[in-house]
């Protein structure tokens, strides 16, 4: 078994990153953050990776912050308290920013429990597939915290305020099937089919114009605070740029010639 805290494997243009601390349900330590960041940076810089699948080793996806990590574990009486804001600034905020600025689509293949920052890590991915035995828990309130890793921004946008408040305040386990029904995730699939479904979806996205897919994420996220007129202007600006790129010319040429396109932009 590898000592790496994030395993990387490539199948053509698809990179699979597997969080690998199964004994602690792949909860985050500073070292796992570092390895994940390095793997995402390398994928962003590589012209060969066109889609990423993020998953977990063992029976969990990610249980959020490792609560035993000295970085966050409450200090003994008499010692200064830990500064959790610093952990967020140094680790979780850059992780979310990294994910949401990836030049290629990112799929979360949620293979088991996703709790706290682990749930919101998955929800920050572009498409979330989950095995039927997986679950999502906004565990923060149970330990006196608020949803982080983008949870306060994401939850009401994805499921609306009423459900966001229920999930965040109660911290109950939401099954993958319910998460799909809530519109929190893209799809719940049979456990045994998860890896295969994620791989098929990733290969499909990798063959698409990924530059346009990354621009789609950016435009949809950015439009959340715009007026309709501003969003229309933004669409014109982005479309002007994409219209000059290779993939648009190739897509239209392939359509006209009734052949399969070969997209290469990133
Ligand atoms: O600035 C900051 O750093 C703050 C940032 C906070 C971000 C956050 O993510 S806060 C939320 C942190 N996460 C949690 O509160 C979840 C804690 N875990 C659980 O509630 C449960 O483990 C689960 C509901 C996720 C799963 O339950 P179950 O019964 O399936 O498994 P288990 O037996 O509880 O856990 C299995 C092992 O994983 C166990 O270790 P052991 O006893 O076998 O040696 C358990 O201690 C370990 N584990 C699970 N979650 C964590 C963890 N160890 C450290 N940290 C964890 N978060």
């Amino acid at each position: 078994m590898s000592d790496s805290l994030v395993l990387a494997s490539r199948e053509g243009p698809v990179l699979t990153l597997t969080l690998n601390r199964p004994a602690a349900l792949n909860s985050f330590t500073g070292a796992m953050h570092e390895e994940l960041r390095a793997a995402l940076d390398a994928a962003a810089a590589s012209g060969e990776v066109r889609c990423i699948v993020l998953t977990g080793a063992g029976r969990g996806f990610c249980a959020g912050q490792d609560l035993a990590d000295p970085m966050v574990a409450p200090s003994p009486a008499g010692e200064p308290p830990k500064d959790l804001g610093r952990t967020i600034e140094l680790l979780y905020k850059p992780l979310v920013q990294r994910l949401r600025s990836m030049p290629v689509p990112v799929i979360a293949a949620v293979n088991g429990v996703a709790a706290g920052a682990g749930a919101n890590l998955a929800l920050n991915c572009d498409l979330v597939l989950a095995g039927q035995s997986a679950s999502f828990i906004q565990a923060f309130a149970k330990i006196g915290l608020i949803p982080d890793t983008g949870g306060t921004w994401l939850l009401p946008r994805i499921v609306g305020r009423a459900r966001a408040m229920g999930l965040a305040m109660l911290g109950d386990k939401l099954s993958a099937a319910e998460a799909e029904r809530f519109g929190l995730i893209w799809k719940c699939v049979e456990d045994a089919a998860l890896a295969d479904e994620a791989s098929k979806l990733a290969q499909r996205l990798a063959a698409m114009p990924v530059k346009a897919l990354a621009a789609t994420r950016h435009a949809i996220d950015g439009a959340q605070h715009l007026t309709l007129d501003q969003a229309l202007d933004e669409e014109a600006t982005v479309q002007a740029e994409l219209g000059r790129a290779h993939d648009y010319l190739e897509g239209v040429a392939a359509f006209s010639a009734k052949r399969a396109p070969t997209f290469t932009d990133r």
Side-chain angles (χ1 to χ4, degrees):
M1 196 58 194
S2 167
D3 286 342
S4 300
L5 302 174
V6 177
L7 307 175
S9 68
R10 271 279 298 281
E11 205 183 322
V14 173
L15 174 71
T16 298
L17 298 177
T18 304
L19 305 178
N20 188 35
R21 298 187 67 238
L25 298 181
N26 305 315
S27 52
F28 270 105
T29 56
M32 195 172 90
H33 267 289
E34 230 171 81
E35 288 194 27
L36 181 57
R37 182 168 48 218
L40 290 171
D41 284 349
S46 153
E48 288 168 16
V49 173
R50 293 179 59 83
C51 187
I52 294 172
V53 176
L54 185 59
T55 192
R59 72 175 177 90
F61 174 73
C62 174
Q65 172 61 42
D66 184 322
L67 298 172
D69 191 318
M71 200 168 52
V72 299
S75 311
E79 287 186 19
K82 299 287 164 55
D83 182 354
L84 301 191
R86 194 162 169 274
T87 327
I88 291 188
E89 286 291 345
L90 287 177
L91 301 174
Y92 289 99
K93 182 175 159 189
L95 172 59
V96 172
Q97 290 171 327
R98 171 72 283 181
L99 276 174
R100 307 235 12 155
S101 63
M102 287 302 285
V104 298
V106 183
I107 296 171
V110 181
N111 53 300
V113 66
N120 294 339
L121 170 70
L123 300 182
N124 273 295
C125 295
D126 297 314
L127 294 175
V128 186
L129 290 182
Q132 66 198 2
S133 68
S135 56
F136 297 81
I137 311 176
Q138 295 294 321
F140 308 90
K142 292 184 174 168
I143 53 169
L145 299 178
I146 62 164
D148 63 20
T149 317
T152 57
W153 188 89
L154 281 169
L155 290 171
R157 281 175 169 78
I158 309 177
V159 295
R161 186 175 187 276
R163 282 175 165 162
M165 293 299 280
L167 293 172
M169 286 197 159
L170 302 174
D172 286 341
K173 186 181 275 200
L174 191 73
S175 70
E178 274 180 303
E180 183 189 296
R181 196 169 56 79
F182 272 31
L184 189 69
I185 66 169
W186 177 239
K187 214 173 183 185
C188 166
V189 301
E190 301 259 319
D191 286 336
L194 178 66
D196 195 43
E197 292 267 346
S199 164
K200 273 198 255 172
L201 187 60
Q203 292 292 349
R204 178 176 161 197
L205 290 174
M208 291 180 69
V210 297
K211 184 183 168 84
L213 300 185
T216 298
R217 174 210 299 132
H218 189 71
I220 286 183
D221 288 350
Q224 300 306 308
H225 66 273
L226 300 182
T227 63
L228 174 59
D229 282 347
Q230 289 169 327
L232 291 168
D233 288 345
E234 187 59 23
E235 287 170 10
T237 304
V238 176
Q239 218 68 305
E241 189 197 325
L242 292 173
R244 288 189 289 269
H246 162 271
D247 282 356
Y248 172 66
L249 303 178
E250 167 63 7
V252 176
F255 174 77
S256 304
K258 299 187 188 304
R259 63 168 171 80
T262 304
F263 295 115
T264 52
D265 286 337
R266 263 207 33 175

